[in-house]
Amino acid sequence: GMVGRLGERKVLALSVLCLPLAVALIPLAASVSQAAVFLIITSSVLYNALMVSYNATVYGLLARFTPEELMGRQQGFRLVFTMGPVPVLGIVGGFLGDRLGLQAAMWIWVGITACAALPLVAVLNKSSRESEPAND
């Protein structure tokens, strides 16, 4: 699979870094009416593929490093942390769409998605520097 060819770090990084591009296709579709359906379908397929590759890689890492007796707690925390804000943010997104317009609210989603990648990029950079041989 992809993890075998690229490694876990690269799959995680590609998944997270490409996600804002997948999201950006939706507000971009409003500007390109001839290709709007194509852009929205492409966004949906790409977004879902990236989420599957990210989640499969993360679940593998978590299973490897989490003691078996803590897996239930770890999964419960992860689901609350990742899915808990969804209803509240859905309401906020609806409010922003009503106040600023749908396209502006969608571009804000793109920005939030890009910002969400920053912690993972920082962790990946730190761990790759730690694994480099020292230049003495």
Side-chain angles (χ1 to χ4, degrees):
M2 254 182 18
V3 171
R5 283 191 299 262
L6 299 175
E8 292 164 331
R9 287 182 184 161
K10 285 184 182 174
V11 170
L12 286 173
L14 285 171
S15 298
V16 171
L17 294 174
C18 290
L19 204 55
L21 300 174
V23 173
L25 293 177
I26 294 174
L28 188 62
S31 304
V32 190
S33 60
Q34 303 87 348
V37 172
F38 174 76
L39 289 175
I40 291 171
I41 290 171
T42 303
S43 172
S44 179
V45 170
L46 185 57
Y47 184 88
N48 286 299
L50 292 167
M51 291 305 295
V52 167
S53 70
Y54 174 82
N55 282 318
T57 305
V58 166
Y59 282 137
L61 285 169
L62 292 173
R64 188 172 352 140
F65 293 111
T66 304
E68 191 172 327
E69 63 273 9
L70 296 177
M71 281 298 288
R73 287 183 192 176
Q74 178 269 120
Q75 287 292 82
F77 174 80
R78 186 173 190 276
L79 286 173
V80 167
F81 184 73
T82 58
M83 299 307 292
V86 169
V88 174
L89 293 175
I91 292 168
V92 171
F95 177 77
L96 287 174
D98 189 47
R99 295 288 176 186
L100 304 176
L102 183 57
Q103 197 169 9
M106 296 301 281
W107 282 116
I108 291 170
W109 179 31
V110 173
I112 291 169
T113 305
C115 289
L118 296 176
L120 180 64
V121 170
V123 167
L124 291 172
N125 276 340
K126 182 179 181 206
S127 63
S128 69
R129 279 190 306 242
E130 289 173 355
S131 65
E132 290 176 358
N135 294 330
D136 292 334

mmCIF file of all heavy atoms in Angstrom, residues 1 18 23 25 32 36-37 41 53 56 58-60 69 74 77-78 92 94 97 99 102 111 114 124-125 129 131:
data_model
loop_
_atom_site.group_PDB
_atom_site.id
_atom_site.type_symbol
_atom_site.label_atom_id
_atom_site.label_comp_id
_atom_site.label_asym_id
_atom_site.label_seq_id
_atom_site.Cartn_x
_atom_site.Cartn_y
_atom_site.Cartn_z
ATOM 1 N N GLY A 1 0.799 -1.182 0.000
ATOM 2 C CA GLY A 1 0.000 0.000 0.000
ATOM 3 C C GLY A 1 0.857 1.269 0.000
ATOM 4 O O GLY A 1 2.087 1.238 -0.137
ATOM 5 N N CYS A 18 -2.702 18.096 1.546
ATOM 6 C CA CYS A 18 -3.555 18.144 0.354
ATOM 7 C C CYS A 18 -5.024 18.403 0.689
ATOM 8 O O CYS A 18 -5.801 18.787 -0.181
ATOM 9 C CB CYS A 18 -3.438 16.840 -0.432
ATOM 10 S SG CYS A 18 -1.827 16.639 -1.222
ATOM 11 N N VAL A 23 -10.643 20.893 -0.259
ATOM 12 C CA VAL A 23 -11.703 21.766 0.238
ATOM 13 C C VAL A 23 -11.831 23.007 -0.648
ATOM 14 O O VAL A 23 -12.944 23.475 -0.916
ATOM 15 C CB VAL A 23 -11.428 22.147 1.712
ATOM 16 C CG1 VAL A 23 -12.423 23.178 2.203
ATOM 17 C CG2 VAL A 23 -11.474 20.915 2.601
ATOM 18 N N LEU A 25 -11.596 23.361 -3.735
ATOM 19 C CA LEU A 25 -12.310 23.139 -4.991
ATOM 20 C C LEU A 25 -13.789 23.513 -4.890
ATOM 21 O O LEU A 25 -14.405 23.868 -5.885
ATOM 22 C CB LEU A 25 -12.162 21.673 -5.433
ATOM 23 C CG LEU A 25 -10.758 21.234 -5.823
ATOM 24 C CD1 LEU A 25 -10.738 19.747 -6.154
ATOM 25 C CD2 LEU A 25 -10.225 22.057 -6.980
ATOM 26 N N VAL A 32 -16.255 29.009 -11.458
ATOM 27 C CA VAL A 32 -16.071 28.302 -12.730
ATOM 28 C C VAL A 32 -17.326 27.475 -13.000
ATOM 29 O O VAL A 32 -17.306 26.258 -12.865
ATOM 30 C CB VAL A 32 -14.819 27.388 -12.681
ATOM 31 C CG1 VAL A 32 -14.493 26.840 -14.049
ATOM 32 C CG2 VAL A 32 -13.638 28.123 -12.097
ATOM 33 N N ALA A 36 -18.260 23.370 -12.537
ATOM 34 C CA ALA A 36 -18.638 23.302 -11.123
ATOM 35 C C ALA A 36 -18.928 21.877 -10.667
ATOM 36 O O ALA A 36 -18.431 21.445 -9.622
ATOM 37 C CB ALA A 36 -19.837 24.203 -10.853
ATOM 38 N N VAL A 37 -19.705 21.136 -11.420
ATOM 39 C CA VAL A 37 -20.053 19.763 -11.022
ATOM 40 C C VAL A 37 -18.789 18.909 -10.964
ATOM 41 O O VAL A 37 -18.592 18.149 -10.014
ATOM 42 C CB VAL A 37 -21.105 19.153 -11.976
ATOM 43 C CG1 VAL A 37 -21.325 17.677 -11.692
ATOM 44 C CG2 VAL A 37 -22.423 19.907 -11.856
ATOM 45 N N ILE A 41 -17.393 17.113 -7.510
ATOM 46 C CA ILE A 41 -17.192 15.657 -7.461
ATOM 47 C C ILE A 41 -15.730 15.350 -7.162
ATOM 48 O O ILE A 41 -15.421 14.499 -6.321
ATOM 49 C CB ILE A 41 -17.645 14.996 -8.788
ATOM 50 C CG1 ILE A 41 -19.165 15.070 -8.899
ATOM 51 C CG2 ILE A 41 -17.165 13.548 -8.867
ATOM 52 C CD1 ILE A 41 -19.714 14.660 -10.248
ATOM 53 N N SER A 53 -6.943 7.737 3.950
ATOM 54 C CA SER A 53 -5.509 7.468 4.072
ATOM 55 C C SER A 53 -4.972 7.998 5.396
ATOM 56 O O SER A 53 -4.174 7.333 6.067
ATOM 57 C CB SER A 53 -4.727 8.048 2.896
ATOM 58 O OG SER A 53 -4.700 9.458 2.937
ATOM 59 N N ALA A 56 -6.519 5.727 8.363
ATOM 60 C CA ALA A 56 -5.937 4.380 8.382
ATOM 61 C C ALA A 56 -4.510 4.423 8.916
ATOM 62 O O ALA A 56 -4.108 3.562 9.718
ATOM 63 C CB ALA A 56 -5.969 3.772 6.979
ATOM 64 N N VAL A 58 -3.157 6.822 10.897
ATOM 65 C CA VAL A 58 -3.187 7.209 12.315
ATOM 66 C C VAL A 58 -3.650 6.050 13.186
ATOM 67 O O VAL A 58 -3.071 5.783 14.240
ATOM 68 C CB VAL A 58 -4.075 8.460 12.527
ATOM 69 C CG1 VAL A 58 -4.401 8.666 14.002
ATOM 70 C CG2 VAL A 58 -3.365 9.687 11.993
ATOM 71 N N TYR A 59 -4.676 5.333 12.759
ATOM 72 C CA TYR A 59 -5.145 4.191 13.561
ATOM 73 C C TYR A 59 -4.050 3.145 13.700
ATOM 74 O O TYR A 59 -3.890 2.553 14.762
ATOM 75 C CB TYR A 59 -6.398 3.565 12.947
ATOM 76 C CG TYR A 59 -7.662 4.330 13.208
ATOM 77 C CD1 TYR A 59 -8.599 4.528 12.203
ATOM 78 C CD2 TYR A 59 -7.938 4.877 14.457
ATOM 79 C CE1 TYR A 59 -9.769 5.238 12.428
ATOM 80 C CE2 TYR A 59 -9.103 5.596 14.698
ATOM 81 C CZ TYR A 59 -10.011 5.756 13.673
ATOM 82 O OH TYR A 59 -11.164 6.465 13.901
ATOM 83 N N GLY A 60 -3.290 2.912 12.642
ATOM 84 C CA GLY A 60 -2.179 1.959 12.728
ATOM 85 C C GLY A 60 -1.124 2.414 13.725
ATOM 86 O O GLY A 60 -0.628 1.616 14.535
ATOM 87 N N GLU A 69 -4.880 -2.273 26.865
ATOM 88 C CA GLU A 69 -5.894 -1.950 27.878
ATOM 89 C C GLU A 69 -6.353 -0.489 27.820
ATOM 90 O O GLU A 69 -7.361 -0.125 28.411
ATOM 91 C CB GLU A 69 -5.401 -2.299 29.287
ATOM 92 C CG GLU A 69 -4.187 -1.518 29.747
ATOM 93 C CD GLU A 69 -2.847 -2.141 29.347
ATOM 94 O OE1 GLU A 69 -2.830 -3.106 28.552
ATOM 95 O OE2 GLU A 69 -1.818 -1.626 29.803
ATOM 96 N N GLN A 74 -8.471 5.610 24.476
ATOM 97 C CA GLN A 74 -7.824 6.401 23.423
ATOM 98 C C GLN A 74 -8.790 6.644 22.266
ATOM 99 O O GLN A 74 -8.901 7.760 21.774
ATOM 100 C CB GLN A 74 -6.553 5.662 22.971
ATOM 101 C CG GLN A 74 -5.787 6.322 21.857
ATOM 102 C CD GLN A 74 -6.255 5.819 20.516
ATOM 103 O OE1 GLN A 74 -6.714 6.595 19.704
ATOM 104 N NE2 GLN A 74 -6.148 4.544 20.278
ATOM 105 N N PHE A 77 -11.590 9.097 23.418
ATOM 106 C CA PHE A 77 -11.086 10.478 23.467
ATOM 107 C C PHE A 77 -10.928 11.029 22.058
ATOM 108 O O PHE A 77 -11.319 12.160 21.771
ATOM 109 C CB PHE A 77 -9.747 10.536 24.205
ATOM 110 C CG PHE A 77 -9.121 11.901 24.151
ATOM 111 C CD1 PHE A 77 -9.545 12.903 25.007
ATOM 112 C CD2 PHE A 77 -8.132 12.191 23.223
ATOM 113 C CE1 PHE A 77 -8.989 14.176 24.943
ATOM 114 C CE2 PHE A 77 -7.571 13.449 23.148
ATOM 115 C CZ PHE A 77 -8.001 14.447 24.015
ATOM 116 N N ARG A 78 -10.347 10.235 21.167
ATOM 117 C CA ARG A 78 -10.119 10.698 19.793
ATOM 118 C C ARG A 78 -11.434 11.052 19.101
ATOM 119 O O ARG A 78 -11.531 12.071 18.425
ATOM 120 C CB ARG A 78 -9.367 9.618 19.012
ATOM 121 C CG ARG A 78 -8.964 10.050 17.623
ATOM 122 C CD ARG A 78 -8.069 8.978 16.988
ATOM 123 N NE ARG A 78 -7.487 9.455 15.774
ATOM 124 C CZ ARG A 78 -8.092 9.422 14.585
ATOM 125 N NH1 ARG A 78 -9.297 8.934 14.483
ATOM 126 N NH2 ARG A 78 -7.497 9.882 13.512
ATOM 127 N N VAL A 92 -21.944 27.285 13.440
ATOM 128 C CA VAL A 92 -21.115 28.469 13.187
ATOM 129 C C VAL A 92 -20.959 28.686 11.683
ATOM 130 O O VAL A 92 -21.066 29.815 11.185
ATOM 131 C CB VAL A 92 -19.743 28.345 13.881
ATOM 132 C CG1 VAL A 92 -18.797 29.453 13.439
ATOM 133 C CG2 VAL A 92 -19.916 28.369 15.394
ATOM 134 N N GLY A 94 -22.993 27.741 9.308
ATOM 135 C CA GLY A 94 -24.268 28.220 8.783
ATOM 136 C C GLY A 94 -24.472 29.702 9.071
ATOM 137 O O GLY A 94 -24.927 30.467 8.214
ATOM 138 N N GLY A 97 -22.137 31.624 6.810
ATOM 139 C CA GLY A 97 -22.671 31.603 5.450
ATOM 140 C C GLY A 97 -23.813 32.589 5.282
ATOM 141 O O GLY A 97 -23.932 33.253 4.257
ATOM 142 N N ARG A 99 -24.273 35.356 7.175
ATOM 143 C CA ARG A 99 -23.781 36.726 7.380
ATOM 144 C C ARG A 99 -22.824 37.190 6.288
ATOM 145 O O ARG A 99 -22.877 38.331 5.850
ATOM 146 C CB ARG A 99 -23.059 36.853 8.726
ATOM 147 C CG ARG A 99 -23.927 36.641 9.905
ATOM 148 C CD ARG A 99 -24.855 37.818 10.065
ATOM 149 N NE ARG A 99 -25.759 37.539 11.166
ATOM 150 C CZ ARG A 99 -26.761 38.296 11.489
ATOM 151 N NH1 ARG A 99 -26.998 39.389 10.811
ATOM 152 N NH2 ARG A 99 -27.544 37.976 12.480
ATOM 153 N N LEU A 102 -22.140 32.447 1.254
ATOM 154 C CA LEU A 102 -21.705 31.050 1.219
ATOM 155 C C LEU A 102 -20.259 30.896 0.761
ATOM 156 O O LEU A 102 -19.472 30.175 1.369
ATOM 157 C CB LEU A 102 -22.644 30.242 0.318
ATOM 158 C CG LEU A 102 -22.382 28.756 0.235
ATOM 159 C CD1 LEU A 102 -22.421 28.113 1.620
ATOM 160 C CD2 LEU A 102 -23.388 28.093 -0.683
ATOM 161 N N GLY A 111 -9.265 27.959 4.971
ATOM 162 C CA GLY A 111 -8.242 28.490 5.875
ATOM 163 C C GLY A 111 -8.126 27.692 7.161
ATOM 164 O O GLY A 111 -7.021 27.400 7.628
ATOM 165 N N ALA A 114 -6.372 24.489 6.435
ATOM 166 C CA ALA A 114 -4.926 24.706 6.289
ATOM 167 C C ALA A 114 -4.267 24.890 7.656
ATOM 168 O O ALA A 114 -3.188 24.340 7.911
ATOM 169 C CB ALA A 114 -4.668 25.916 5.396
ATOM 170 N N LEU A 124 5.943 16.524 12.543
ATOM 171 C CA LEU A 124 6.701 15.767 11.540
ATOM 172 C C LEU A 124 8.078 16.371 11.327
ATOM 173 O O LEU A 124 9.059 15.659 11.177
ATOM 174 C CB LEU A 124 5.926 15.691 10.224
ATOM 175 C CG LEU A 124 4.660 14.838 10.253
ATOM 176 C CD1 LEU A 124 3.890 14.991 8.956
ATOM 177 C CD2 LEU A 124 4.980 13.388 10.524
ATOM 178 N N ASN A 125 8.171 17.706 11.301
ATOM 179 C CA ASN A 125 9.481 18.358 11.155
ATOM 180 C C ASN A 125 10.383 18.041 12.325
ATOM 181 O O ASN A 125 11.561 17.745 12.154
ATOM 182 C CB ASN A 125 9.318 19.876 11.018
ATOM 183 C CG ASN A 125 9.016 20.295 9.610
ATOM 184 O OD1 ASN A 125 9.274 19.570 8.667
ATOM 185 N ND2 ASN A 125 8.448 21.474 9.476
ATOM 186 N N ARG A 129 13.885 15.817 12.147
ATOM 187 C CA ARG A 129 15.180 16.381 12.571
ATOM 188 C C ARG A 129 15.827 15.503 13.635
ATOM 189 O O ARG A 129 17.043 15.342 13.650
ATOM 190 C CB ARG A 129 14.984 17.798 13.109
ATOM 191 C CG ARG A 129 14.895 18.855 12.037
ATOM 192 C CD ARG A 129 14.960 20.216 12.670
ATOM 193 N NE ARG A 129 13.917 20.306 13.698
ATOM 194 C CZ ARG A 129 12.906 21.160 13.672
ATOM 195 N NH1 ARG A 129 12.813 22.015 12.721
ATOM 196 N NH2 ARG A 129 12.012 21.162 14.611
ATOM 197 N N SER A 131 15.558 12.335 13.893
ATOM 198 C CA SER A 131 16.017 11.069 13.334
ATOM 199 C C SER A 131 17.194 11.236 12.377
ATOM 200 O O SER A 131 17.758 10.256 11.929
ATOM 201 C CB SER A 131 14.864 10.368 12.622
ATOM 202 O OG SER A 131 14.440 11.134 11.508
#
